[in-house]
Amino acid sequence: MSIPDAHSVEPIRIVSVSDSESYLKWATQLLSSLPGVEAHVYLIDSPILPTAEQITHAIAGTAWAGRTIPVVTRTDLAHIITDHHADIVLGAATGPIVAQLFLTAHLLDHRPALVSGLPGMGLPASKKGMNYRRLMDAFITHSFAEVAQYTEVSALTQVPCEIYLTRLPMLRSTGIPQLVTPASASQPDAGEASKPMQTEVPRTLVFAPQAKVPEALGDREAIVAALAEFASRHADSNAVIKMRSRPGEHETHHEQHSYVDIRKGLRDLGVPGTERIELGYGPLDDFLVPGAALVTVSSTAALEAFDRGIPTLLISDFGFDRNLLNEAFADSGATGSLAEVTAGTIGFPTSAWLAENYFHSDDGRLRHHLELLATRARAGQLPNRRSAVWKQKRLLIRAELRTMAPAPVVRAYRKLRYAR
């Protein structure tokens, strides 16, 4: 799909490959925001391939809305890149898929530039994720903290890539977001910027889960119980668990304890309020409306809620650390306990935090960086990293062997390896 730009003589030809709903959403939103590109978006067949409904929700509001996203296999990648004369290949997928994609692209006679990124908050930066993307020329980040961490990890893993900064494409505000509720009139002035802002009890309390955190069943049950108590206390309000997928559908990460099952279990026990907890499906935008508030442990959904001016609470009961993927929110001013969830006391982050975290001004530099990369690709001026290619091949071979070898064989191999 070509997105025209009156100032561009030749569009940047981009081939994007995704493997899950969240990566597809990021890729199509990102590419839709870039002027002067000729972009072709694909899904690769994998165990986490999204369903038709998930695809529809992922591409809603983008230049691909209403279109069919082709599903391809790994053996198709080389001719797709070649047929489109790609200047840039965007690896908008999980690490192992990006490794395969970039290895394929790097071995072409005339290789394109290789760019990757993550579909939401990218903290903490991961050495493992960087190693899977070893062949890339550039990595897209979305905050100053991400730039610092990925620059450090790039050096530690000896992955010589450029680090680009842009806004998350789902964030639409042009400046620092403001709270959009009747309580906006009583927001603190600049001298009180460190204090969280309080709002009225929301009509709809939306919980945005994450597959990976919190991991413990008891913690998840505590969240659903708090939603139930909120619904029980506030007769004019309701609670919604905004699901990322329907039962049987796949997400980027596997979820061990389903909130669907937890809600049913608490209902079966007769916990008051659970009958008023709804399950919500569809684009997150449909839930971020005036009168709503969002609650989460750690999710990019919080950033989208901030962006729309929706009251938001990051649950503090489980802490803020790297394992919970929520360190960045610790001093946001939008944290609160499950007791505050039940009371409907939902705040909003400080302007100072927003300016430093994901809501920096976007000057369009990403488009400029990509154009320079495309120019280098056309001129054959991209580096040939032969040693990195061999490292990538070995990594992928080990990954393939792990998926084929029986568990006892893998354990025996590891025991021998660590005994050396």
Side-chain angles (χ1 to χ4, degrees):
M1 174 176 292
S2 180
I3 304 172
D5 176 20
H7 303 289
S8 179
V9 176
E10 183 176 4
I12 303 172
R13 297 184 297 269
I14 300 177
V15 167
S16 173
V17 177
S18 299
D19 61 349
S20 70
E21 173 265 341
S22 58
Y23 274 104
L24 178 64
K25 177 181 177 180
W26 176 67
T28 52
Q29 289 186 337
L30 176 69
L31 294 171
S32 295
S33 71
L34 295 172
V37 302
E38 179 187 307
H40 303 274
V41 175
Y42 292 89
L43 277 164
I44 193 162
D45 196 8
S46 75
I48 58 173
L49 183 70
T51 63
E53 183 181 22
Q54 286 177 303
I55 293 170
T56 298
H57 294 161
I59 63 179
T62 74
W64 282 265
R67 294 175 175 262
T68 299
I69 306 297
V71 178
V72 300
T73 65
R74 287 187 290 185
T75 57
D76 298 321
L77 295 175
H79 77 75
I80 287 171
I81 296 168
T82 302
D83 289 350
H84 290 304
H85 305 286
D87 302 314
I88 293 173
V89 169
L90 177 63
T94 54
I97 295 296
V98 174
Q100 289 280 1
L101 172 65
F102 284 1
L103 183 58
T104 299
H106 205 287
L107 295 176
L108 295 174
D109 291 338
H110 186 79
R111 86 164 180 93
L114 308 177
V115 179
S116 191
L118 299 178
M121 293 184 60
L123 297 175
S126 162
K127 292 181 182 179
K128 181 178 180 181
M130 188 65 76
N131 275 320
Y132 273 124
R133 295 166 174 82
R134 176 166 294 280
L135 296 176
M136 67 184 168
D137 298 291
F139 185 79
I140 298 172
T141 62
H142 304 107
S143 75
F144 296 119
E146 288 189 7
V147 170
Q149 284 201 25
Y150 281 96
T151 299
E152 180 181 0
V153 170
S154 172
L156 290 173
T157 54
Q158 297 182 342
V159 177
C161 66
E162 298 180 44
I163 307 295
Y164 297 156
L165 173 66
T166 190
R167 265 202 185 195
L168 279 163
M170 66 280 291
L171 304 183
R172 304 168 187 166
S173 54
T174 54
I176 302 299
Q178 302 295 317
L179 186 64
V180 182
T181 71
S184 297
S186 61
Q187 289 182 15
D189 58 29
E192 298 175 292
S194 62
K195 298 179 181 179
M197 297 177 245
Q198 301 300 323
T199 65
E200 61 183 16
V201 173
R203 292 193 297 272
T204 301
L205 186 62
V206 181
F207 171 60
Q210 264 192 311
K212 296 175 69 174
V213 297
E215 185 177 13
L217 174 60
D219 292 343
R220 291 176 170 240
E221 289 175 334
I223 293 171
V224 179
L227 296 175
E229 187 173 347
F230 167 83
S232 183
R233 282 193 193 184
H234 306 285
D236 296 330
S237 301
N238 66 306
V240 177
I241 301 176
K242 196 285 175 189
M243 307 299 296
R244 293 286 298 271
S245 60
R246 296 185 185 275
E249 294 180 335
H250 297 288
E251 298 181 25
T252 305
H253 302 289
H254 174 69
E255 184 173 53
Q256 184 175 2
H257 303 294
S258 165
Y259 284 100
V260 175
D261 296 337
I262 292 170
R263 184 189 71 147
K264 181 180 183 302
L266 293 182
R267 279 186 174 183
D268 292 344
L269 291 172
V271 175
T274 50
E275 74 284 353
R276 297 186 56 230
I277 300 177
E278 303 172 11
L279 299 179
Y281 299 92
L284 181 61
D285 257 355
D286 294 349
F287 299 85
L288 300 181
V289 296
L294 185 115
V295 172
T296 188
V297 175
S298 168
S299 174
T300 303
L303 299 180
E304 294 187 61
F306 297 160
D307 185 63
R308 313 304 194 264
I310 301 298
T312 306
L313 181 146
L314 280 301
I315 299 171
S316 59
D317 295 57
F318 317 115
F320 293 91
D321 58 44
R322 293 175 65 88
N323 292 330
L324 286 168
L325 310 176
N326 61 1
E327 278 184 308
F329 292 113
D331 59 351
S332 65
T335 64
S337 66
L338 288 174
E340 289 172 287
V341 171
T342 63
T345 307
I346 314 298
F348 199 72
T350 65
S351 296
W353 185 90
L354 289 167
E356 288 296 317
N357 295 273
Y358 298 95
F359 291 91
H360 54 274
S361 60
D362 193 348
D363 56 5
R365 294 288 293 176
L366 178 62
R367 172 60 174 74
H368 174 70
H369 289 317
L370 295 179
E371 186 169 11
L372 291 178
L373 266 185
T375 300
R376 289 167 58 195
R378 292 168 189 157
Q381 296 176 347
L382 296 171
N384 187 343
R385 303 192 182 99
R386 286 187 175 84
S387 61
V389 166
W390 286 111
K391 284 184 180 179
Q392 199 71 86
K393 283 184 176 180
R394 289 197 298 272
L395 184 151
L396 289 171
I397 289 170
R398 288 198 301 270
E400 292 286 347
L401 289 174
R402 281 197 298 270
T403 63
M404 294 185 295
V409 174
V410 174
R411 287 196 295 269
Y413 165 77
R414 287 175 176 165
K415 186 175 180 181
L416 288 172
R417 181 184 178 191
Y418 297 147
R420 292 177 181 177

